[in-house]
């Protein structure tokens, strides 16, 4: 009732948005801009929060979705003049670190894994397998680059060069984002953009995070013991857990497990 009494000051509220899982569009990932749009918008607009806290636990994924989510956070933070503080749990690597860097400050647990500021493309080559088993691959295109990196054909040097150019351009975008968001904080004597990962204490020394700390005690220290927490996240319809969606979830779970395993998690 207190919030409705004139001249009575309400307790401060911190909105929490959880960003956990692989970053990918559609049903392939648990984190994407479309799925998170409503939760992020509500976090900034409901109840006039004194801050928005991001709980980040992601091994990365799509650079486009990472950029879209990060841009949405920055737009709303500027529009509503609300500070954003990220708290890293197990990992904020690759696209996960991109999301953390969207915050004004980043904190982590001492054993959190951070970094992996790089870009990767992985595939396979099965043309020898097909030849060995007498299978002929037939592909027809209009445009000489349309079948670039076809895994069922021998690798072409010009295709590899083209792919590397794309990866380098995306890497440049990633670097620009980190340098802009962490301006004046990064260690300029250390190469930070090789895809290397670090634990939190080293990441702090390199300027990739601002310190070691956990969400609730830090927010209480900053806004007082009476601070309230309001959580926002993606809520999936109950019926979506059945049928074909169940199979999609199983495949996504395997892919996500593999993504976390890259960091020993």
């Amino acid at each position: 009732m207190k919030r409705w009494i004139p001249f009575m000051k309400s307790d401060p509220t911190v909105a929490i948005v959880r960003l956990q899982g692989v970053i990918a569009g559609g049903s392939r990932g648990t984190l994407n801009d479309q799925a998170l749009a409503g939760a992020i918008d509500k976090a900034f607009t409901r109840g006039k929060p004194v801050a928005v806290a991001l709980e980040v636990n992601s091994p990365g994924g799509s650079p486009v979705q990472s950029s879209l989510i990060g841009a949405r956070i920055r737009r709303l933070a500027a529009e509503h003049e609300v500070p954003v503080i990220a708290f890293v749990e197990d990992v904020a690597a690759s696209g996960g670190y991109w999301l953390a860097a969207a915050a004004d400050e980043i904190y982590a647990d001492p054993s959190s894994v951070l970094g992996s500021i790089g870009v990767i493309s992985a595939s396979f080559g099965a043309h020898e397998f097909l030849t060995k088993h007498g299978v002929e691959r037939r592909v027809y295109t209009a445009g000489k680059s349309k079948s670039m990196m076809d895994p069922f054909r021998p690798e072409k040097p010009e295709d590899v060069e083209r792919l590397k150019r794309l990866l380098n351009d995306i890497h440049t975008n990633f670097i620009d984002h980190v340098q802009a968001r962490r301006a004046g904080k990064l260690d300029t004597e250390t190469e930070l953009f090789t895809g290397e990962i670090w634990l939190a204490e080293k990441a702090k020394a390199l300027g990739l995070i601002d310190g070691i700390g956990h969400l609730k005690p830090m927010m209480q220290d900053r806004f007082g013991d009476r601070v309230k927490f309001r959580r926002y996240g993606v809520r999936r319809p109950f019926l979506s857990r059945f049928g074909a969606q169940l199979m999609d979830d199983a495949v996504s779970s395997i892919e996500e497990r593999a993504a976390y395993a890259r960091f020993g998690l």
Side-chain angles (χ1 to χ4, degrees), residues 14 16 18 53-56 85-91 105-114 200-201 209-224 227 229 231:
V14 172
I16 302 174
R18 185 160 187 82
L54 307 177
E55 289 180 329
V56 181
I85 306 163
F87 293 89
V88 178
E89 296 183 352
D90 298 283
V91 58
E105 301 173 46
I106 307 173
Y107 297 91
D109 182 85
S111 296
S112 297
V113 176
L114 300 108
E201 286 289 358
I209 65 174
D210 296 282
I212 308 299
H214 298 157
L215 192 157
K216 185 175 180 178
M218 287 199 68
M219 294 297 91
Q220 288 177 328
D221 287 345
R222 188 170 301 194
F223 300 111
V227 65
F229 299 96
R231 290 184 169 274

Side-chain angles (χ1 to χ4, degrees), residues 14-49:
V14 172
I16 302 174
V17 179
R18 185 160 187 82
L19 304 176
Q20 175 168 334
V22 173
I23 306 165
S27 62
R28 291 179 50 247
T30 55
L31 295 181
N32 58 69
D33 184 57
Q34 182 180 15
L36 286 167
I40 295 174
D41 291 351
K42 290 174 184 176
F44 282 94
T45 58
R46 287 193 175 178
K48 296 183 178 180

Side-chain angles (χ1 to χ4, degrees), residues 123-128 130 137 147-154:
S123 184
F124 61 90
H127 59 283
E128 292 186 2
L130 296 185
R137 173 76 164 160
S147 62
M148 185 181 80
M149 305 305 293
D150 186 334
F152 300 106
R153 286 185 165 185

Side-chain angles (χ1 to χ4, degrees), residues 116-139:
S116 190
I117 303 171
V119 184
I120 185 172
S121 175
S123 184
F124 61 90
H127 59 283
E128 292 186 2
F129 176 84
L130 296 185
T131 301
K132 181 178 179 180
H133 289 80
V135 179
E136 181 184 2
R137 173 76 164 160
R138 296 174 179 175
V139 179

